[in-house]
Amino acid sequence: MAVLGVMVASFTIEARDNEFAVATGSNVNSSPGRSRFDYPPNSTRDLVITTKDGDPDPRLFEVGDVYEVTWAGSGGGGTIVNAVVIRSDMAPGGGGGAIVFEGTDENGDLAHVVWSPDFDLENWYWTNFNPSAEPEFYTTDQNASYEHSYVCFERTVPLHTPTGLTAAGRLKVGDRVCTWGGSARAVRWIGRKKVSREGGVAVIRFDRGAIGNFAPIKLSPQHRVLIATDSTAESHGSRDVLVPAISLVDGQKVRAVTRKQVVFVHILLDRHDILIAAGAPCESLLLGAQTELVLGAAQTRELAQLTGPEGMVPCYPILRRREAQSLAAARAVPERDAALM
């Protein structure tokens, strides 16, 4: 997601060595829909992903996007000048991303590179290693409800402001919004992104009453909401915690649905805080690793100048999807200060 009217110049991304692996030779397409890791996966290092000119959102990693990838290590490493994204969804357990690039290397041979930002791929490999059935990775999406981007509101979500409800897509920089703690804060920046995709764009739909909302709301899968938990959450330092929307999917009141086209909106305040979406507590933009993944380090630093250090400090403890799922059944709506409601 980028500021409207700003072009993103090409740049490189350097992956952590434990978050990628390659498949070459007979390991490519070793079984239907899968490739086998070159052994051992930790024999490769220094993966560099270079974006292409003309990609309007190079950090989204949509299927069909093209990059250049290079790596070092076993056999001298390799290069795929035109590496096409053929998979972009969740890593096992939802603890990070799973992106697979496909293309011909410098020798003209087909190769696959699997990159797992925020997921320890090497540890997963050795945990699941069996010499008689070596681990493989999927080469197509396995979870249609994953959106590899930072957290966003769907544009029609009604947000509380001191003057009434306003759709997220109608807010402007300088407008004031109500927060869960009872104060009103000014919007410092708004990002908008229109996404359309063959097969649909995933959103999480909360039916009325699912998390205290008096009307249906739709969020991107990784957008975090505030829930109150029982005493098992006290180890996180707070009874109230932030969890990704996708962790609350129950197939009834909270569902992963797809739309042909979605306009996503995210809202930056002077610090991370909890907005109120049709009565439900949903976070504002938290600057950090995820925004840097999407927007790049330079633009993230520019946004940080609007907030200062407070923009990078979460206002409540944050749980990963796996942790959140264990608490989801006992979720409740936290209490709020109603002074501005």
Side-chain angles (χ1 to χ4, degrees):
M1 181 180 297
V3 180
L4 294 180
V6 175
M7 296 298 295
V8 180
S10 61
F11 55 89
T12 61
I13 299 169
E14 297 180 0
R16 297 185 180 95
D17 287 345
N18 66 324
E19 293 182 353
F20 89 97
V22 300
T24 58
S26 61
N27 288 331
V28 177
N29 299 323
S30 53
S31 61
R34 302 180 185 183
S35 284
R36 184 183 301 113
F37 294 81
D38 283 0
Y39 181 87
N42 46 304
S43 65
T44 52
R45 64 182 188 278
D46 302 331
L47 174 65
V48 177
I49 303 162
T50 304
T51 67
K52 296 283 189 177
D53 291 338
D55 187 340
D57 202 347
R59 291 181 180 269
L60 193 55
F61 296 99
E62 295 178 292
V63 172
D65 285 349
V66 180
Y67 300 80
E68 178 178 318
V69 298
T70 64
W71 66 94
S74 180
T79 298
I80 304 176
V81 175
N82 293 303
V84 180
V85 176
I86 59 173
R87 178 188 177 192
S88 180
D89 68 344
M90 285 182 177
I99 299 167
V100 176
F101 302 94
E102 179 182 80
T104 54
D105 62 18
E106 69 279 6
N107 300 313
D109 298 323
L110 189 65
H112 285 157
V113 176
V114 56
W115 175 41
S116 58
D118 297 327
F119 180 78
D120 191 337
L121 188 62
E122 287 182 5
N123 180 65
W124 177 89
Y125 178 91
W126 292 115
T127 299
N128 293 276
F129 181 74
N130 182 337
S132 61
E134 294 181 23
E136 298 176 307
F137 56 89
Y138 288 105
T139 56
T140 57
D141 285 356
Q142 301 300 302
N143 191 323
S145 64
Y146 181 59
E147 178 67 36
H148 193 76
S149 62
Y150 65 78
V151 293
C152 309
F153 293 98
E154 190 273 334
R155 67 180 178 86
T156 65
V157 172
L159 296 177
H160 293 239
T161 76
T163 57
L165 295 174
T166 301
R170 297 180 64 87
L171 285 171
K172 303 182 298 297
V173 172
D175 287 349
R176 298 177 70 79
V177 290
C178 299
T179 67
W180 200 250
S183 62
R185 312 191 80 87
V187 175
R188 304 301 301 273
W189 176 85
I190 294 178
R192 294 182 178 88
K193 170 71 175 179
K194 181 185 291 185
V195 181
S196 57
R197 182 175 302 161
E198 184 177 351
V201 180
V203 295
I204 306 302
R205 175 189 164 95
F206 292 84
D207 288 344
R208 185 173 62 180
I211 50 172
N213 49 310
F214 56 74
I217 59 174
K218 295 187 286 291
L219 307 173
S220 67
Q222 302 304 315
H223 196 145
R224 290 178 285 255
V225 301
L226 188 68
I227 64 170
T229 65
D230 58 24
S231 59
T232 60
E234 290 179 356
S235 60
H236 299 285
S238 173
R239 188 170 176 273
D240 299 339
V241 293
L242 285 164
V243 301
I246 194 172
S247 68
L248 301 179
V249 169
D250 58 16
Q252 300 176 32
K253 284 195 168 186
V254 186
R255 292 169 289 139
V257 300
T258 58
R259 297 290 183 266
K260 290 183 179 180
Q261 180 175 282
V262 179
V263 176
F264 285 122
V265 179
H266 208 99
I267 298 161
L268 180 70
L269 307 180
D270 60 351
R271 63 176 175 83
H272 188 234
D273 212 329
I274 305 301
L275 304 178
I276 308 170
C282 303
E283 68 171 335
S284 66
L285 176 60
L286 174 64
L287 299 178
Q290 190 66 16
T291 49
E292 186 169 323
L293 179 65
V294 176
L295 294 176
Q299 190 168 354
T300 300
R301 286 195 296 269
E302 290 178 8
L303 295 181
Q305 293 177 2
L306 300 175
T307 67
E310 295 81 1
M312 307 185 77
V313 179
C315 58
Y316 284 93
I318 293 173
L319 303 191
R320 286 183 174 270
R321 184 184 180 191
R322 185 176 297 175
E323 296 174 296
Q325 285 175 320
S326 67
L327 300 173
R331 69 180 183 269
V333 180
E335 295 181 1
R336 75 173 187 230
D337 189 329
L340 292 171
M341 299 306 104

